[in-house]
Amino acid sequence: MEQLQQFAPFLLMFVVIYFFMIRPQQKKAKNEKEFETSLKIGDRIVTKSGIHGKIAELAETTVIIETMSGKLKMERSAISLELSAALNKKTA
């Protein structure tokens, strides 16, 4: 019984860390993965570095983005935000 009381604070700390740090990170990673797989040609996007463009081609892990100055090849994970849905909501 005394041993359980000694380890209770450590168990409680682990539970708190799991629910406030580990679980939200896993959820965010899952959402980002779903976002990356849902991309399609023609979507208007913003990269994590702030480049705006439209998806011209898709590959397994890369994407070719058409910008005003030309085409860029980037990793799918570099895409931060998809603007097509947001733009369609504003016009509707």
Side-chain angles (χ1 to χ4, degrees):
M1 190 69 159
E2 188 176 311
Q3 289 178 351
L4 183 63
Q5 288 177 346
Q6 288 176 342
F7 288 110
F10 293 111
L11 291 173
L12 183 63
M13 255 184 359
F14 179 75
V15 169
V16 168
I17 288 172
Y18 177 79
F19 280 106
F20 286 107
M21 294 178 74
I22 297 170
R23 191 163 181 244
Q25 282 181 333
Q26 289 175 338
K27 199 172 191 180
K28 184 179 178 184
K30 180 183 174 190
N31 289 342
E32 286 179 4
K33 192 72 170 169
E34 287 176 4
F35 170 72
E36 288 175 22
T37 58
S38 72
L39 292 172
K40 57 190 176 300
I41 294 176
D43 283 348
R44 295 193 173 278
I45 53 98
V46 177
T47 65
K48 291 181 180 176
S49 60
I51 298 172
H52 290 244
K54 184 170 82 172
I55 297 177
E57 296 176 37
L58 289 170
E60 181 115 2
T61 59
T62 60
V63 78
I64 296 183
I65 300 169
E66 194 174 301
T67 65
M68 293 179 74
S69 60
K71 292 184 178 183
L72 300 169
K73 185 174 185 178
M74 304 186 110
E75 293 292 318
R76 282 187 182 219
S77 60
I79 298 174
S80 169
L81 178 66
E82 193 266 323
L83 292 176
S84 297
L87 291 172
N88 289 339
K89 285 181 185 176
K90 286 182 183 177
T91 59

